[in-house]
Amino acid sequence: MVRALILYAPGINCDLETKTAFQTCGASVDEIPVKKLEEQTSKLLLYDILILPGGFSYGDSISSGKILSVYMREFLKETVLEFLKRDTLVLGICNGFQVLVKSGLLGHDITLAENANGRFEDRWVRLRVRNSRCIFTKGLDIIELPVAHRGGRVVIKDGVVNATLAYIDEQDKPTMEYPYNPNGSEDAIAGICDDSGRIFGLMPHPERFYLPIQYPGTWKDKIPHGMKIIKNAVDWVEAHTSLSGVHRIIDD
Amino acid sequence: MRRIEIKRKNDIRGERIKRDIEDLGLSSGKMEMLDVYLLYGDVTDEEFLRIAEIVSDPISEEWGVFQFPEDAKVIEVVLNPGVMDPVAVDTLDVIRKIGMKLDGVKTLKKYVFYHTDDETINLAKKRILLNPLIQHVVRDRETLKILESLEKKTPTVPRIYMSSLTEKELLNLSKSMGLFLNKEEMKRISRYFSKEGREPTAAELETFGILWSEHCSHKTMRGDIKIKNQKSKIKNLLKSTIMRVTRELKKPWVLSAFKDNAGIIEFDEKYAVCFKVETHNHPSALEPFGGAATGIGGVVRDILGCGLGAKPIANIDVFCVGYPDTPYSSLPEGVLHPRRILRGIVSGVGDYGNKLGIPTVNGSVTYHGGYTANPLVYCGCVGIMPKTSCEKKVNPNDLVILVGGRTGRDGIHGATFSSGIMDETTQEEFSSAVQIGDPLREKNLLDALLCARDRRLYNSVTDCGAGGICTAVSELAEGIGAEVELENVPLKYEGLSPTEIWISESQERMVLAAPEENLSELKKIFDEYESELTVIGRFVTSDRVVISYGDLRICDIDLEFLLHGMPKTAKTAVIPMGVESGGEAPENLDIESVFESLLSHPDIASKEWLVRQYDHEVQGGTIIKPLLADAAVIKPLPVKGDRGMVIGHGLAPFYKDVYKNASSSLDEAVRNMCAVGADPSRIALLDNFSWGSPEDPVNMGKLVRACEALYDLASAYGMPFISGKDSLYNEFESNKEKQSVPPTILVSGIGVIDDVNKTVTQTIKVPGNPIYIIGCTYPELGGSLLFRILEISGGGEPSVHPGDSIELYKKLHRAIQGGIVLSCHDCSEGGIGVAVSEMCFGSGLGLKINLDGVPVSDVKNPASILFSESNSRFIVEVDGERKDKFEEIMSGSTFGEIGEVVPSGNLVIENLFSLSIARLETAWRSRRL
């Protein structure tokens, strides 16, 4: 069974629905407080997927996700690099995306700053997948998910960043126009993936759309888009661990 | 001390302040806002660079100590000593945790004005940038100390010599100590201590002041009332009206009503849900952000302290404020502008609720001149818990355990501490009346507590609300007794007196009763969730509450007397008389233009700007979200299957006839819920009164009538009340003139439904479908939005016809269950006109309506039909192919077919007007704060 670890930190608040969504997609999920994991970092190596869920880690004091990103860098970086040597995945949702970005796990070319309107914003957005390498968004093109954040504006240092997810308007074009682009993200970026396709961070919440009834309106498609993203991750790990013939001996 | 200043490259905050200044009608040049961190202690250059990297962002910000041009004006704002600064606390934590030594951190906000005159800057300071209760501008050469600590004094136990005082002197003592106890109560206390053979300590008198306060004991609602103009008497108003409904209805699914911190009803075989609504009016008037945030914090702790603790799953917020266009010149001294109040409370509630991870699913804003000086902030919270966690019971020998935040001077009113009596001088610089919330501390407490609950590690729990540890311990100790050592209480800073520790209302704290053998496991859990836990005493079988500070005995009172020895109060009431009738719209009204002013009126206009600032989808269970319908539908996550609940509310403060005001509030709450598909036989209600002083017999008479109305209607509807709260002194005095709030009754409702899929939103869906109205329209436009816009006073106000209404609600429920109804919206403010418009918005469709189909009772002109606010009415879109079935279900009740959904984007009211939806929507969206 695919094993996922949700990293709990003080102020995290989307952990339960993230857990339920991954369980619905067939993974077994544990949640460990960051304080406990710091004491025994090797625990991370027992898992296939590391999830940094949404919320306000450490109250978002200083800036969104900043304090947890400092702890990631100081106490967990080496273990995460070790973890990535296997066929594993890392997913950061909303605050988790902010943590991934600020800890440098998604490169050093972008940051996330406060929304252009200076406010927290909860709304459903339309998105387009622009990166074929990303394991999480495989087979997806145009999707809908809710965002809910105050600090989701992507700022690019310089050059071009390979966006995986872009906010789009009614003509399906990446846009800077509010409310389609809810936070003023440069290049309409809603989420990015590393070059390997295995580390993915996004502002929208896939775990808030793993059931059809979570959609505002009538949902006619078969599988909710959030569930597709999560299922992609679980299926990929499942296929890889059996393909490579490596079965983990470690279990509790 | 070293300083790091941080500039944002895209200074959104600075631009917003510039806009706010321009909103005041002033002109401002460029404006910048910076964050400043002050670091105290020895830091090497290398460490300094590391810290700068932590507190700034390398891409979106730059740091340094900046020079500004000479003509720029710079002000720095710092929190007053004693006001919590969570960012500073968290920053210090992270720096220490990664191995650096630092004595302290302080944060400032720095504002830089370019080409702006002093007068503008002064007004901006006053109206936008700072609130003197919590902040001040850093003065030239002001030394900013790291942590405020009061001068440490040897703790003493001041005694109050009351045994020899006359009645008048007792009353003066009560006043000078700010106890708000009356003559009878003071006499009773004096007699008690004479019997004990000693004089009381100041802490003991404070304890009585708190536990016998209106806030804690609801003595008006539970006391006797003499009705002057009817020569009759009411014994315990609450018991004889609101609680009586619950008693008489005997619903088996009501698990606890008016007992615990919240009312509890059954959800399914395994789970129960609880609901509580609180007011936080006065603190929000003084400091809107902090007041509203701590309002949410408080009601959430009520839910955490209900039974053995419930998981909060939804918040509701209802605000009543003055008109947004109130001129500054008309504001009484000391009153903040309604726009600033609303902005502050919205962001306070958003910040706190969002950070706790509780979706804000339902709410409203009501504007009225009577709320300008007395804004009302209602915060509600719904929780879910296993049925096995509904009961709690302290066992003798359990430990008294304080969990969560630390104790400071927050919420202790300076007035209470006049030095003459207490022999302790309250340092003037300490601003203690205002509380600033720290949502992270509460979230940690929440997570740790629920984890401990699931392992059944404690026997009872309650929150520290009004009166702090004093109230929490005294209430938990009821029937047993407790001994508490105050020296063990962890403090935010040194220098608090024992009495202050005992009665401090610092936020984010709760008290547990747990057996000693569970202590180590409890400690482990709270440590993992980074929440503090301290043993402060023990429950004992002494029937007394005994409080010490080291060798000093602070308080030693008989619990039975403390909790139940209060003399009954007797208030006088004059029941209001006289009923107005006849309320039709004037003839020859320019309906088209009136219609647009209705839609752009602040009460009706879209609240999207506000609603989107709340996370309404966290926890993943919000099925019908705000903006889509009259009430919210949620499906709590731990529960399998399709069962869920409907949450709604109503208030009708514009109706001067208080009986109609109360019954319309209740009806609005119920019809909002029924509009989405609630089952009227499974609805439980909550009442929240905000009133003027009950010392005024007229106010008291209105209170009696309102309670009677709630009893009458809730009984007829078969809906029990499960919880309530009253806030009875909402008055503001300016130039000797008293201004009190209009009688405001918030009725909130919660209803369990079997299947969340069988619910509907208000947006129209399919062209060609017929539109019906359910319920009868009467000529009763008194107090309506139309009359208010036209400045017509008087006129008959809407009644409720309980028998007809409950029949309608049951039938509507059947129709929604059967899938025959595709959309439904109730008619409230602005009547049919506003309801049909709102159903069009966002649908891309239009409506064709003919008012001839509206069943009326003696209404003469079309404007009256269109804008009457008669209760218990709905507009519904019915599946065109199942019209017959719908009519069959509704037969015997008042209903009529009034039109159909059309593909074009127009709202057509036949024979009156045809307006484009886009135009109406523009009017509706025209307001923004």
Side-chain angles (χ1 to χ4, degrees):
Chain A
M1 204 181 203
V2 175
R3 298 186 48 158
L5 168 67
I6 292 181
L7 187 66
Y8 169 91
I12 284 304
N13 62 29
C14 303
D15 44 340
L16 188 59
E17 54 271 39
T18 306
K19 187 176 179 177
T20 315
F22 270 84
Q23 284 169 337
T24 311
C25 294
S28 93
V29 188
D30 291 327
E31 183 171 2
I32 302 185
V34 63
K35 203 170 171 187
K36 211 168 166 181
L37 192 65
E38 282 164 10
E39 285 162 13
Q40 204 190 341
T41 54
S42 61
K43 271 203 169 143
L44 173 61
L45 304 176
L46 301 174
Y47 296 89
D48 307 303
I49 307 176
L50 168 64
I51 306 157
L52 291 99
F56 296 81
S57 56
Y58 294 96
D60 273 1
S61 287
I62 301 177
S63 77
S64 312
K66 188 61 189 252
I67 293 179
L68 184 55
S69 79
V70 171
Y71 293 148
M72 287 286 288
R73 243 179 12 213
E74 293 284 331
F75 305 120
L76 296 170
K77 195 177 167 189
E78 276 160 35
T79 319
V80 171
L81 293 177
E82 180 71 25
F83 167 79
L84 284 167
K85 284 183 185 160
R86 279 193 4 254
D87 284 329
T88 52
L89 300 173
V90 177
L91 174 64
I93 303 166
C94 197
N95 196 255
F97 181 32
Q98 293 160 337
V99 173
L100 287 182
V101 163
K102 292 177 185 182
S103 63
L105 274 164
L106 280 169
H108 299 277
D109 298 325
I110 69 160
T111 193
L112 287 155
E114 74 172 317
N115 294 353
N117 68 4
R119 287 189 176 141
F120 187 96
E121 183 95 5
D122 179 335
R123 67 166 65 244
W124 281 65
V125 291
R126 301 181 72 240
L127 303 151
R128 169 160 243 162
V129 175
R130 293 206 290 197
N131 177 347
S132 54
R133 246 193 317 249
C134 178
I135 285 153
F136 296 85
T137 52
K138 215 178 126 197
L140 293 170
D141 179 20
I142 289 170
I143 59 174
E144 286 182 79
L145 289 175
V147 292
H149 59 253
R150 196 196 176 103
R153 177 169 54 95
V154 170
V155 182
I156 303 170
K157 195 173 166 190
D158 39 35
V160 182
V161 170
N162 198 355
T164 301
L165 270 185
Y167 299 110
I168 54 171
D169 58 20
E170 281 165 352
Q171 282 73 47
D172 303 340
K173 294 244 163 41
T175 181
M176 293 301 294
E177 195 191 332
Y178 178 85
Y180 308 105
N181 179 336
N183 49 36
S185 275
E186 292 178 14
D187 207 15
I189 296 174
I192 61 168
C193 197
D194 77 329
D195 289 339
S196 73
R198 289 161 51 208
I199 307 179
F200 181 43
L202 74 168
M203 287 315 295
H205 288 270
E207 82 284 9
R208 293 188 188 180
F209 191 28
Y210 71 97
L211 298 170
I213 48 163
Q214 290 171 319
Y215 187 74
T218 321
W219 183 249
K220 296 190 185 81
D221 210 347
K222 249 196 189 139
I223 305 175
H225 293 146
M227 186 182 220
K228 280 190 181 170
I229 289 176
I230 293 165
K231 214 165 167 338
N232 273 341
V234 175
D235 290 351
W236 184 86
V237 172
E238 201 135 58
H240 275 71
T241 38
S242 57
L243 270 180
S244 61
V246 182
H247 290 280
R248 271 160 297 119
I249 319 150
I250 336 156
D251 228 47
D252 2 28
Chain B
M1 185 255 285
R2 297 185 75 166
R3 165 185 281 258
I4 301 170
E5 297 184 350
I6 296 156
K7 224 184 221 186
R8 298 190 181 172
K9 289 180 185 162
N10 186 348
D11 187 16
I12 291 159
R13 294 179 303 178
E15 283 163 26
R16 202 170 50 204
I17 295 164
K18 182 170 147 54
R19 269 204 314 276
D20 289 347
I21 293 173
E22 284 160 1
D23 274 359
L24 296 176
L26 304 165
S27 74
S28 159
K30 192 183 155 215
M31 159 90 220
E32 277 187 281
M33 177 176 172
L34 289 82
D35 294 296
V36 182
Y37 289 82
L38 303 180
L39 311 174
Y40 297 84
D42 289 330
V43 204
T44 65
D45 286 348
E46 194 193 332
E47 284 176 333
F48 180 71
L49 284 177
R50 249 180 108 196
I51 295 171
E53 219 173 80
I54 289 171
V55 297
S56 68
D57 189 282
I59 299 174
S60 62
E61 297 171 339
E62 44 190 333
W63 66 270
V65 175
F66 298 99
Q67 296 296 317
F68 298 95
E70 263 186 26
D71 60 338
K73 286 172 192 126
V74 179
I75 58 171
E76 289 187 337
V77 173
V78 64
L79 291 171
N80 295 342
V83 176
M84 277 309 288
D85 181 357
V87 175
V89 172
D90 294 338
T91 306
L92 183 62
D93 266 5
V94 65
I95 291 170
R96 283 180 175 165
K97 205 175 151 194
I98 63 171
M100 285 180 270
K101 287 194 176 69
L102 205 59
D103 297 336
V105 173
K106 207 176 194 57
T107 69
L108 315 175
K109 300 273 175 241
K110 186 170 189 140
Y111 304 95
V112 187
F113 294 85
Y114 296 88
H115 313 295
T116 309
D117 60 66
D118 287 344
E119 201 186 332
T120 303
I121 295 176
N122 278 334
L123 273 173
K125 265 198 289 201
K126 196 172 154 198
R127 292 189 181 157
I128 300 165
L129 299 181
L130 68 96
N131 184 340
L133 286 173
I134 58 163
Q135 297 152 311
H136 66 273
V137 173
V138 179
R139 291 173 288 267
D140 280 348
R141 286 193 295 278
E142 175 182 351
T143 26
L144 294 166
K145 287 177 284 180
I146 319 171
L147 275 177
E148 306 70 34
S149 63
L150 297 167
E151 196 186 327
K152 201 168 177 184
K153 285 185 183 168
T154 319
T156 54
V157 190
R159 267 181 205 283
I160 312 292
Y161 293 88
M162 75 186 303
S163 58
S164 56
L165 298 184
T166 63
E167 281 188 6
K168 206 177 156 199
E169 287 166 335
L170 281 174
L171 207 54
N172 284 340
L173 175 67
S174 166
K175 273 197 189 125
S176 64
M177 283 184 73
L179 300 175
F180 296 101
L181 293 172
N182 65 27
K183 201 172 61 193
E184 283 310 310
E185 291 160 346
M186 287 301 280
K187 269 165 63 187
R188 182 81 62 103
I189 294 166
S190 174
R191 273 208 302 278
Y192 168 79
F193 283 105
S194 299
K195 236 170 44 202
E196 294 264 310
R198 63 185 176 88
E199 299 288 351
T201 66
E204 285 172 328
L205 284 187
E206 292 283 354
T207 303
F208 281 104
I210 290 165
L211 284 155
W212 289 11
S213 68
E214 185 68 58
H215 189 96
C216 289
S217 65
H218 303 280
K219 47 195 178 191
T220 299
M221 293 292 270
R222 289 172 191 270
D224 292 344
I225 298 164
K226 224 167 59 200
I227 297 178
K228 222 168 149 186
N229 53 342
Q230 290 178 354
K231 302 242 178 330
S232 59
K233 208 170 158 184
I234 297 173
K235 266 193 148 179
N236 197 327
L237 179 61
L238 193 62
K239 258 193 181 163
S240 61
T241 55
I242 291 164
M243 286 166 75
R244 185 171 151 209
V245 183
T246 316
R247 209 167 56 236
E248 289 176 351
L249 289 174
K250 283 197 192 76
K251 294 282 183 191
W253 43 267
V254 173
L255 303 181
S256 166
F258 297 99
K259 275 198 298 242
D260 210 329
N261 289 330
I264 312 176
I265 60 170
E266 183 179 74
F267 183 74
D268 60 12
E269 288 97 59
K270 210 174 147 200
Y271 289 98
V273 288
C274 55
F275 193 8
K276 171 66 172 276
V277 178
E278 272 278 11
T279 45
H280 221 225
N281 303 340
H282 194 58
S284 306
L286 295 173
E287 198 334 78
F289 181 92
T294 50
I296 282 287
V299 78
V300 166
R301 286 195 303 282
D302 274 329
I303 295 305
L304 290 175
C306 178
L308 285 173
K311 179 185 164 65
I313 52 170
N315 281 346
I316 80 162
D317 303 293
V318 175
F319 309 139
C320 300
V321 293
Y323 288 108
D325 44 10
T326 306
Y328 277 89
S329 56
S330 72
L331 292 176
E333 187 63 30
V335 170
L336 299 175
H337 193 271
R339 283 162 66 108
R340 181 166 178 189
I341 290 179
L342 184 59
R343 258 186 240 183
I345 51 190
V346 168
S347 44
V349 161
D351 187 67
Y352 209 99
N354 293 350
K355 285 186 173 170
L356 286 183
I358 304 166
T360 298
V361 299
N362 189 244
S364 65
V365 185
T366 302
Y367 300 86
H368 187 295
Y371 299 129
T372 307
N374 299 288
L376 306 181
V377 172
Y378 296 93
C379 301
C381 186
V382 177
I384 189 161
M385 61 181 138
K387 270 183 179 168
T388 49
S389 296
C390 291
E391 297 286 331
K392 55 184 167 192
K393 191 176 175 286
V394 178
N395 285 332
N397 230 17
D398 277 353
L399 299 174
V400 182
I401 300 174
L402 182 65
V403 291
R406 295 191 153 216
T407 301
R409 272 201 161 162
D410 334 33
I412 301 173
H413 290 267
T416 322
F417 288 88
S418 52
S419 49
I421 297 163
M422 301 294 290
D423 195 33
E424 296 158 345
T425 40
T426 312
Q427 287 195 4
E428 284 215 350
E429 60 191 37
F430 254 80
S431 154
S432 51
V434 175
Q435 305 163 41
I436 300 297
D438 183 350
L440 179 64
R441 235 53 61 189
E442 181 133 321
K443 176 68 165 60
N444 293 350
L445 170 59
L446 185 163
D447 289 340
L449 187 85
L450 294 178
C451 179
R453 178 202 70 184
D454 289 341
R455 297 191 205 167
R456 306 204 77 82
L457 295 176
Y458 55 86
N459 294 325
S460 190
V461 59
T462 198
D463 67 307
C464 292
I469 304 175
C470 166
T471 314
V473 169
S474 305
E475 287 178 359
L476 278 178
E478 182 169 9
I480 309 183
E483 286 170 1
V484 170
E485 173 48 73
L486 291 175
E487 231 177 358
N488 294 346
V489 173
L491 303 178
K492 287 179 179 170
Y493 33 77
E494 289 296 314
L496 266 72
S497 77
T499 309
E500 286 175 315
I501 299 170
W502 178 232
I503 65 170
S504 158
E505 294 179 8
S506 285
Q507 299 290 301
E508 291 100 22
R509 301 175 305 159
M510 297 186 77
V511 175
L512 304 179
E516 193 155 8
E517 65 261 29
N518 294 347
L519 184 61
S520 64
E521 207 180 336
L522 272 170
K523 270 190 172 154
K524 204 170 141 242
I525 290 172
F526 276 78
D527 186 52
E528 258 171 38
Y529 286 100
E530 305 191 23
S531 189
E532 214 163 351
L533 177 149
T534 317
V535 176
I536 60 165
R538 198 179 279 280
F539 291 98
V540 290
T541 49
S542 65
D543 286 323
R544 295 183 79 84
V545 53
V546 179
I547 311 303
S548 316
Y549 186 92
D551 296 335
L552 302 173
R553 181 63 54 94
I554 307 299
C555 176
D556 182 349
I557 311 173
D558 180 84
L559 262 172
E560 177 62 25
F561 177 69
L562 177 62
L563 296 171
H564 304 290
M566 185 176 56
K568 273 211 163 179
T569 54
K571 295 245 156 63
T572 311
V574 176
I575 300 292
M577 293 293 174
V579 182
E580 287 205 62
S581 62
E584 278 230 51
E587 301 285 342
N588 310 322
L589 203 60
D590 178 356
I591 292 184
E592 228 177 279
S593 82
V594 161
F595 195 43
E596 277 179 78
S597 9
L598 281 173
L599 286 173
S600 61
H601 186 276
D603 275 357
I604 300 293
S606 171
K607 308 289 185 302
E608 187 169 346
W609 66 270
L610 183 161
V611 171
R612 297 226 176 272
Q613 294 186 55
Y614 300 144
D615 193 340
H616 49 254
E617 293 173 286
V618 61
Q619 299 193 18
T622 315
I623 306 305
I624 291 192
K625 305 174 209 298
L627 303 171
L628 297 175
D630 294 308
V633 175
I634 60 171
K635 189 185 102 61
L637 206 54
V639 181
K640 301 259 183 294
D642 291 318
R643 189 167 278 236
M645 64 193 94
V646 179
I647 299 163
H649 74 276
L651 70 169
F654 296 102
Y655 302 147
K656 293 202 170 67
D657 177 337
V658 76
Y659 189 92
K660 292 181 175 178
N661 173 324
S663 39
S664 297
S665 300
L666 194 157
D667 186 68
E668 189 188 6
V670 171
R671 69 177 188 261
N672 277 338
M673 297 170 74
C674 289
V676 300
D679 177 352
S681 70
R682 284 298 307 273
I683 289 177
L685 302 172
L686 279 71
D687 64 281
N688 282 82
F689 290 83
S690 288
W691 230 250
S693 168
E695 311 303 334
D696 178 347
V698 175
N699 283 341
M700 211 44 227
K702 287 180 182 170
L703 191 64
V704 170
R705 274 305 272 166
C707 288
E708 286 170 354
L710 293 185
Y711 170 78
D712 292 347
L713 193 55
S715 299
Y717 283 180
M719 297 173 189
F721 282 96
I722 55 168
S723 169
K725 198 83 197 239
D726 45 275
S727 167
L728 298 183
Y729 291 86
N730 294 286
E731 289 189 343
F732 186 88
E733 209 176 303
S734 155
N735 298 331
K736 304 241 157 111
E737 212 178 300
K738 264 193 193 158
Q739 209 188 346
S740 64
V741 289
T744 309
I745 304 127
L746 172 71
V747 178
S748 312
I750 183 165
V752 174
I753 48 171
D754 293 332
D755 187 352
V756 292
N757 296 295
K758 292 178 178 165
T759 54
V760 295
T761 61
Q762 70 188 35
T763 322
I764 44 170
K765 307 214 166 48
V766 184
N769 272 346
I771 297 291
Y772 285 83
I773 184 167
I774 311 180
C776 184
T777 302
Y778 298 87
E780 42 188 11
L781 277 90
S784 67
L785 186 58
L786 180 74
F787 272 28
R788 280 183 280 139
I789 282 181
L790 301 174
E791 292 174 10
I792 301 172
S793 59
E797 294 169 343
S799 304
V800 179
H801 307 266
D804 298 346
S805 302
I806 189 66
E807 275 309 301
L808 278 179
Y809 295 155
K810 285 179 187 161
K811 288 173 182 168
L812 177 64
H813 177 64
R814 266 178 61 203
I816 293 177
Q817 283 288 303
I820 303 166
V821 171
L822 295 189
S823 54
C824 179
H825 191 13
D826 83 314
C827 298
S828 317
E829 270 186 272
I832 297 173
V834 167
V836 294
S837 312
E838 288 178 344
M839 292 175 81
C840 295
F841 297 153
S843 70
L845 305 170
L847 280 174
K848 199 164 83 181
I849 302 291
N850 190 327
L851 294 180
D852 294 344
V854 177
V856 296
S857 167
D858 205 23
V859 185
K860 291 184 190 68
N861 68 47
S864 300
I865 300 176
L866 202 54
F867 302 125
S868 163
E869 294 174 10
S870 291
N871 286 300
S872 321
R873 296 176 307 154
F874 304 89
I875 309 290
V876 292
E877 174 191 355
V878 171
D879 179 354
E881 283 166 19
R882 298 163 76 191
K883 263 177 81 168
D884 296 348
K885 180 76 192 159
F886 177 77
E887 293 190 2
E888 186 195 315
I889 291 174
M890 294 311 299
S891 69
S893 283
T894 309
F895 72 103
E897 188 174 349
I898 58 167
E900 62 171 334
V901 181
V902 293
S904 83
N906 279 333
L907 175 64
V908 183
I909 309 284
E910 283 178 26
N911 306 323
L912 282 180
F913 61 76
S914 166
L915 290 165
S916 87
I917 306 287
R919 182 173 150 190
L920 295 174
E921 198 165 342
T922 307
W924 183 64
R925 289 185 183 280
S926 61
R927 279 191 185 261
R928 228 184 132 86
L929 258 190

